[in-house]
Amino acid sequence: MTARLKRLGWVLLAGAAIGCAGSAQAAPVVYHGFTLIDGSGTAPKADQAMIVDDAVIKWVGPTKQAPRTPGATRVDLRRKFLMPGIVDLHVHFGTVRDLVQKEEYFTPDSVRKDLRTYAAFGVTTVQSMGTDKDSIIAIRDAGRAGPQTMARLLTAGQGLVFKGGYGGVPGINHPVATPEEATAEVDAQAKKGVDYIKLWMDDELGAMPKMPYSISKAIIDAGHRNGKRVLAHVFYLADAKQLVAQGIDGFMHSVRDQPVDAELIGAMKARGVWQGAATLSREAAVYAFGADNPRTRDPFFRQAADPATIAGLESPAREKTIASSRIFPALPRIDEQARDNIMLLARGGVKYGFGTDAGPPGRLPGYSEHWELEQLVKAGFTPAEAIHTATARSAEWLNTNDRGLIAPGRLADFVVLNADPTRDILNSRKIAAVYIGGSKVPSVK
């Protein structure tokens, strides 16, 4: 985190005027004069107003039609653009310092630091995918409603990893070797109160043993018995088809070994399986820093990382290590396949959301979401479709019916921009302010 964000964070913790998490607004607030991008995918509407009271949107419509609100504070947003906060369905928390990932780095403080960073970049809800310690539950519960000082979260706790196989963080996850062990671990996660069950089905391009289908079936069955949706890290088309047949609820990456086909698309639609996240920025970031990359000199990018992280990403030695890895030559093709497949799924009628896999080394919280929007447009989505994906579509997956849209009854989680992101998706980075539950939080510039 930059020195500026650290200073803002201390002001926040000291109880500055933006309010403390869980506190009620002193009076209604009327925001007016902005162009509204409401998250529904409809065209922007000029000269709109919004009334927020007690952390919730009470009214939205043309400024001239705004009802009288005695005692309200008025905020002039003329020449600004207002959209819902971004909802990221695939992140990881608190285990990385200076491009090094360790179990011991995960603490409540490291999680809160990441949540403040997400919020600063306009990401107001995140779904953590399977590398959390138990302390995450209390942090999640504290952010379920009301004004907040950081992004809200949901968690898959400790996801299921095959013993000796791919996935998880050593020391956090509990690898399983048999269906019986897997069932017991799912039961343990459910008892802790996690929101989802996560499994990893991958072999790192043949370098590691892959989870047997007998174990994935046991995980899915146990998750459903406990009333939990089950999500999968997946890479191969054949595995995706098998997991759909076993009852998986969603995928947290695109299929990346070959094009998705009519069989998979039809099965996902028939069974209501979500493409929960395409994680296109993950695929790009895995190889983007194998050479000098101008992103590291972008002021917006640099606000997501501390100086040691920037120095590491710009290190010629690290660039050489990445570029010489066994899988590096395959990464551009994998990236392209991921982009092609999310378009095939979306155009084929499969439900889909937005996610980045931000958090591991080189995949920066906050910045990754804006890179993901950029990648979705590169894949073939319009800027408006990309924003719709990152807001209302992702919020639909959550089943909370309380965010992702600028509409009455929704939480007042929104971003104010200085330029129109439906004309140029890079304008999502021109952040003027971020509000969570109607509470203004420190934001990047």
Side-chain angles (χ1 to χ4, degrees):
M1 183 177 286
T2 64
R4 177 179 179 275
L5 278 177
K6 287 180 179 178
R7 289 195 298 272
L8 288 169
W10 282 115
V11 171
L12 177 61
L13 291 173
I18 60 175
C20 298
S23 63
Q25 279 179 213
V29 180
V30 179
Y31 304 88
H32 62 91
F34 55 84
T35 296
L36 175 63
I37 302 163
D38 67 5
S40 70
T42 58
K45 298 181 181 70
D47 197 10
Q48 298 292 293
M50 176 176 70
I51 300 174
V52 173
D53 192 11
D54 196 22
V56 175
I57 299 168
K58 301 297 185 181
W59 183 89
V60 182
T63 296
K64 292 182 179 179
Q65 298 178 17
R68 288 178 56 83
T69 311
T73 301
R74 297 183 65 84
V75 178
D76 187 345
L77 295 179
R78 283 174 290 183
R79 296 181 295 279
K80 304 294 185 184
F81 298 80
L82 188 148
M83 62 173 275
I86 293 171
V87 178
D88 190 333
L89 299 182
H90 189 157
V91 307
H92 296 274
F93 283 126
T95 59
V96 174
R97 294 181 191 170
D98 303 338
L99 298 175
V100 176
Q101 186 172 49
K102 291 183 179 181
E103 168 271 333
E104 65 195 64
Y105 292 160
F106 188 104
T107 67
D109 284 345
S110 71
V111 171
R112 293 187 184 103
K113 175 185 174 183
D114 282 352
L115 288 170
R116 288 193 293 271
T117 300
Y118 282 116
F121 281 82
V123 184
T124 56
T125 296
V126 290
Q127 182 171 271
S128 187
M129 277 287 102
T131 54
D132 296 328
K133 292 184 180 180
D134 295 347
S135 57
I136 199 80
I137 299 296
I139 299 173
R140 177 202 64 188
D141 292 348
R144 286 191 182 276
Q148 298 296 317
T149 60
M150 55 192 180
R152 308 177 196 275
L153 73 92
L154 298 94
T155 179
Q158 292 106 43
L160 277 291
V161 180
F162 181 52
K163 191 171 184 178
Y166 178 87
V169 173
I172 292 180
N173 297 84
H174 314 128
V176 298
T178 66
E180 292 76 20
E181 290 179 3
T183 297
E185 180 62 16
V186 171
D187 289 345
Q189 294 300 315
K191 187 176 180 180
K192 294 174 184 179
V194 302
D195 298 292
Y196 311 100
I197 302 298
K198 159 81 177 290
L199 66 86
W200 278 266
M201 176 69 75
D202 201 346
D203 64 3
E204 191 69 349
L205 296 180
M208 308 177 81
K210 187 164 55 176
M211 178 179 285
Y213 292 148
S214 60
I215 292 181
S216 60
K217 181 66 163 61
I219 293 168
I220 293 167
D221 289 348
H224 291 168
R225 175 170 50 76
N226 280 285
K228 305 295 182 183
R229 287 181 285 178
V230 184
L231 301 167
H233 169 116
V234 70
F235 182 88
Y236 298 102
L237 178 63
D239 292 335
K241 290 181 178 179
Q242 182 66 30
L243 289 168
V244 170
Q246 290 181 339
I248 201 75
D249 296 291
F251 295 124
M252 287 295 109
H253 298 283
S254 294
V255 167
R256 288 159 282 166
D257 67 320
Q258 57 184 297
V260 295
D261 58 18
E263 179 185 355
L264 178 64
I265 291 171
M268 291 179 71
K269 289 173 62 178
R271 293 173 177 263
V273 179
W274 276 69
Q275 181 60 56
T279 65
L280 304 180
S281 56
R282 176 216 194 254
E283 306 312 326
V286 166
Y287 72 89
F289 304 112
D292 180 65
N293 192 308
R295 287 184 190 271
T296 64
R297 296 184 287 279
D298 176 2
F300 189 75
F301 180 95
R302 294 176 79 90
Q303 291 180 85
D306 56 32
T309 296
I310 296 295
L313 292 172
E314 293 180 337
S315 162
R318 185 176 187 273
E319 292 169 357
K320 184 177 180 180
T321 298
I322 292 172
S324 62
S325 73
R326 178 183 63 89
I327 65 173
F328 187 80
L331 294 177
R333 179 190 60 78
I334 291 170
D335 181 17
E336 182 178 4
Q337 190 66 74
R339 291 197 303 271
D340 290 348
N341 281 345
I342 187 58
M343 290 302 300
L344 289 169
L345 291 167
R347 301 304 184 231
V350 172
K351 288 189 173 185
Y352 59 96
F354 176 93
T356 60
D357 201 8
R363 308 206 288 270
L364 303 184
Y367 179 85
S368 291
E369 287 73 16
H370 297 271
W371 196 350
E372 187 78 16
L373 288 169
E374 179 186 352
Q375 286 288 98
L376 286 171
V377 171
K378 184 177 180 179
F381 290 87
T382 67
E385 288 172 336
I387 292 166
H388 182 38
T389 302
T391 55
R393 283 191 177 276
S394 285
E396 182 185 348
W397 159 263
L398 301 177
N399 284 340
T400 57
N401 200 37
D402 64 356
R403 65 200 78 181
L405 285 171
I406 302 300
R410 301 277 173 152
L411 291 167
D413 297 353
F414 60 95
V415 185
V416 180
L417 301 171
N418 289 317
D420 185 356
T422 68
R423 291 185 176 273
D424 182 349
I425 199 60
L426 297 184
N427 286 339
S428 74
R429 306 173 188 201
K430 296 181 179 179
I431 295 171
V434 179
Y435 294 79
I436 305 181
S439 179
K440 190 175 183 181
V441 302
S443 61
V444 295
K445 301 296 182 183

